Amino acid sequence: TRTTAMWQCGDNFSHKIVDKKLACHRLVTHGIYSILRHPSYFGWFYWSIGTQLVLCNPICFLFYSITVWRFLNDRISYEED
């Protein structure tokens, strides 16, 4: 999911939050973005907690779930304001 989201965004994807819209920026609404609002974050969240499930690590699963949820919640809130 994350890789697909990054690929479909092309040059519009960045790991850094951009505060000002660039002239070349286009909103992507096709492909995976027509189904999920934040597919890259969705993929990263489930990958991060999925690794802990595969490793049978319940303590880190809980820690990762809370930490990543908070991080993404703060980041998405900042991006959408």
Side-chain angles (χ1 to χ4, degrees):
T1 306
R2 182 168 170 81
T3 304
T4 302
M6 292 165 56
W7 178 74
Q8 285 185 344
C9 274
D11 292 336
N12 289 320
F13 185 86
S14 174
H15 292 306
K16 296 179 182 177
I17 297 175
V18 178
D19 289 329
K20 296 185 183 200
K21 182 181 176 194
L22 303 174
C24 62
H25 181 82
R26 299 289 178 257
L27 181 63
V28 179
T29 59
H30 63 280
I32 191 112
Y33 285 89
S34 67
I35 300 167
L36 295 168
R37 185 176 180 111
H38 297 285
S40 181
Y41 296 156
F42 176 86
W44 187 62
F45 176 77
Y46 283 103
W47 172 84
S48 67
I49 63 172
T51 57
Q52 300 313 305
L53 285 175
V54 169
L55 295 171
C56 299
N57 194 338
I59 295 170
C60 283
F61 172 79
L62 182 62
F63 175 74
Y64 272 54
S65 298
I66 293 167
T67 303
V68 174
W69 182 268
R70 286 181 178 171
F71 170 76
L72 291 175
N73 187 48
D74 290 346
R75 185 171 174 118
I76 291 169
S77 296
Y78 179 82
E79 287 178 356
E80 293 189 354
D81 280 343

